[in-house]
Amino acid sequence: MIIIKGAGDLASGVAVRLAHCGFPIVMTDLPHPTSIRRTVCFSEAIIRSVFTVEDVTAERADSIEEIDPILDRGHIAVLSDPNAACVKSLHPEAVVDAILAKRNLGTRITDAPVVVALGPGFSAGVDCHAVIETMRGHNLGRVILEGAAAPNTGIPGNIAGFTTERVLRAPKDGTFTEVHHIGDVVSKGDPVAEVDGEPILAPLDGVIRGLLPSDTPVFCGMKSGDIDPRPVLQHCYTVSDKARAIGGGVLEAILMLQRRNAHV
């Protein structure tokens, strides 16, 4: 069994890749997830009970006892467990920290025989056994066995020449309301959403690839959506190239470390 902490889009891309390889998977997330790319996030199972990304299905488990029946059906089990307390009772073969908080929120190298963490905030050999590079570029998906991933720049990856412009942010504290929806094509200046009546306008032409659900409490500056300047609707409903690359790195790290452990 592999436990993945976090069930956002990158974590879900990792889960899809591992599920295709036959690993039983348990994922944990917040009781009220704030994933932006909801159409490709297994965190949606917490809200909808069942959710499918591509050809992999996840089910919400409301207790530890519900996990095994879900895994027996060949599905991913998703727990509302923000602190991943289930790690202590489930004794997984591997733990993957895919929260992407840019800092370690409690993962320890002793959590499982194999502990893998995504992105900055972890040091391989100290916090975990391996770190996976998450920054776009030459090293995306690389397995790091000593040291850390590249530091967070705070600048989103470049897509069709756009970086920070792609991201929608809440203009103030309040309650978020959708005006458009994921998959809608918008033009620059179109109202995409609003926070207590104050509009969030599309910063460029493109397709809405990610958006918080209506009635989500937000704070000023909170990431609330994502516009993809490539108007390809399929991108809204399939695992991204970045998530697949990171998933490949996680798979490599788990198999490598399991083999190493078997020869110790």
Side-chain angles (χ1 to χ4, degrees):
M1 176 192 295
I2 296 174
I3 293 179
I4 301 178
K5 299 168 66 173
D9 63 309
L10 294 185
S12 297
V14 171
V16 166
R17 192 144 229 186
L18 295 179
H20 284 162
C21 296
F23 289 100
I25 298 168
V26 176
M27 305 183 79
T28 65
D29 211 304
L30 302 170
H32 303 287
T34 56
S35 301
I36 301 296
R37 293 203 59 209
R38 293 178 284 128
T39 47
V40 289
C41 292
F42 287 125
S43 58
E44 285 292 287
I46 292 177
I47 301 167
R48 306 189 192 192
S49 296
V50 178
F51 194 71
T52 298
V53 176
E54 297 193 4
D55 59 349
V56 178
T57 297
E59 297 182 50
R60 185 181 69 223
D62 292 320
S63 66
I64 295 292
E65 290 72 27
E66 292 184 7
I67 290 175
D68 281 344
I70 293 172
L71 299 183
D72 289 344
R73 288 191 285 273
H75 293 170
I76 292 172
V78 185
L79 278 170
S80 172
D81 183 5
N83 298 317
C86 64
V87 170
K88 292 182 180 179
S89 55
L90 292 177
H91 307 292
E93 298 172 30
V95 169
V96 179
D97 189 319
I99 298 173
L100 294 164
K102 312 299 188 298
R103 57 193 178 96
N104 189 344
L105 297 180
T107 292
R108 294 172 296 182
I109 198 170
T110 55
D111 285 342
V114 173
V115 179
V116 179
L118 307 189
F122 302 91
S123 180
V126 178
D127 305 297
C128 54
H129 298 101
V131 173
I132 308 301
E133 181 58 69
T134 57
M135 183 177 289
R136 287 187 183 273
H138 181 74
N139 289 319
L140 177 64
R142 185 177 295 277
V143 178
I144 301 167
L145 298 177
E146 291 184 12
N152 178 39
T153 64
I155 300 174
N158 188 316
I159 295 180
F162 295 96
T163 57
T164 54
E165 305 95 330
R166 297 188 294 104
V167 178
L168 304 175
R169 297 191 181 276
K172 63 180 181 179
D173 297 353
T175 301
F176 184 88
T177 302
E178 298 172 83
V179 175
H180 281 284
H181 306 285
I182 294 175
D184 288 352
V185 175
V186 294
S187 299
K188 182 177 180 179
D190 286 350
V192 175
E194 59 183 37
V195 176
D196 292 344
E198 185 167 340
I200 302 175
L201 306 180
L204 50 96
D205 298 347
V207 63
I208 300 174
R209 191 174 66 158
L211 201 63
L212 290 173
S214 291
D215 299 322
T216 300
V218 295
F219 56 84
C220 184
M222 179 175 171
K223 184 177 179 181
S224 304
D226 180 288
I227 304 285
D228 190 333
R230 306 161 298 180
V232 181
L233 186 60
Q234 184 186 23
H235 291 174
C236 301
Y237 302 99
T238 53
V239 173
S240 70
D241 55 345
K242 180 176 181 178
R244 288 191 186 281
I246 292 169
V250 171
L251 175 62
E252 178 187 347
I254 290 173
L255 295 178
M256 179 195 308
L257 292 166
Q258 284 182 334
R259 182 179 180 184
R260 181 176 297 181
N261 290 344
H263 289 85
V264 172

